[in-house]
């Protein structure tokens, strides 16, 4: 079992920055990869970024590449999403998820709202 709690969302103007955090508990954090997803109103949930167990490999959606950075601190059981140059289209509920089995995100947080005003 893995429990995930996101924080750091809020309201920001276009061009601004936010850093999301996701604190994990339960299974040893360094044994699984992590991902960030988002869901905007009326849209399907979409992949944003992912990071390998040790943090050496990262992956991004084209829409956020160059603006967002995913990182993790295994000593703190936390994964982060640094979001810069935010755009109104980044407005969504952001979720972190744990990839226990390869290719499957088995556990999800409750989500944190990010709103970018124009």
């Amino acid at each position: 079992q893995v429990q995930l709690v996101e924080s750091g969302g809020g309201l920001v103007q276009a061009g601004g920055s936010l850093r999301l955090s996701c604190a994990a508990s339960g299974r040893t954090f360094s044994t699984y990869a992590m991902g960030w997803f988002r869901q905007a109103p009326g849209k399907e949930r979409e992949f944003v970024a992912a990071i390998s167990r040790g943090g050496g490999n990262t992956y991004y959606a084209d829409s956020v590449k160059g603006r967002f950075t995913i990182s993790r601190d295994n000593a703190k059981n936390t994964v982060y999403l640094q979001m810069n140059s935010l755009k109104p289209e980044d407005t969504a509920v952001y979720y972190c998820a744990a990839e226990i089995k390869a290719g499957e995100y088995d556990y999800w947080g409750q989500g944190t709202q990010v709103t970018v005003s124009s």
Side-chain angles (χ1 to χ4, degrees):
Q1 286 280 0
V2 175
Q3 294 78 42
L4 302 172
V5 179
E6 301 98 335
S7 61
L11 173 64
V12 64
Q13 288 189 333
S17 298
L18 281 175
R19 188 176 82 153
L20 305 183
S21 299
C22 172
S25 60
R27 185 177 177 135
T28 303
F29 186 62
S30 60
T31 63
Y32 52 89
M34 291 292 297
W36 284 98
F37 294 76
R38 66 186 181 187
Q39 187 167 20
K43 295 187 177 181
E44 293 188 354
R45 186 169 57 196
E46 63 174 359
F47 168 79
V48 175
I51 189 166
S52 59
R53 290 174 293 179
N57 294 301
T58 57
Y59 310 89
Y60 297 94
D62 287 343
S63 59
V64 307
K65 204 171 291 183
R67 300 188 298 121
F68 290 10
T69 302
I70 188 171
S71 62
R72 67 189 294 162
D73 185 337
N74 285 348
K76 295 183 178 180
N77 293 347
T78 302
V79 63
Y80 305 97
L81 186 67
Q82 178 67 43
M83 305 185 295
N84 299 329
S85 302
L86 282 161
K87 305 175 181 180
E89 51 264 44
D90 294 318
T91 295
V93 177
Y94 284 72
Y95 300 89
C96 64
E99 187 185 24
I100 305 299
K101 302 174 186 176
E104 297 181 23
Y105 286 92
D106 306 277
Y107 297 95
W108 295 80
Q110 82 289 350
T112 186
Q113 176 71 47
V114 172
T115 303
V116 184
S117 63
S118 56

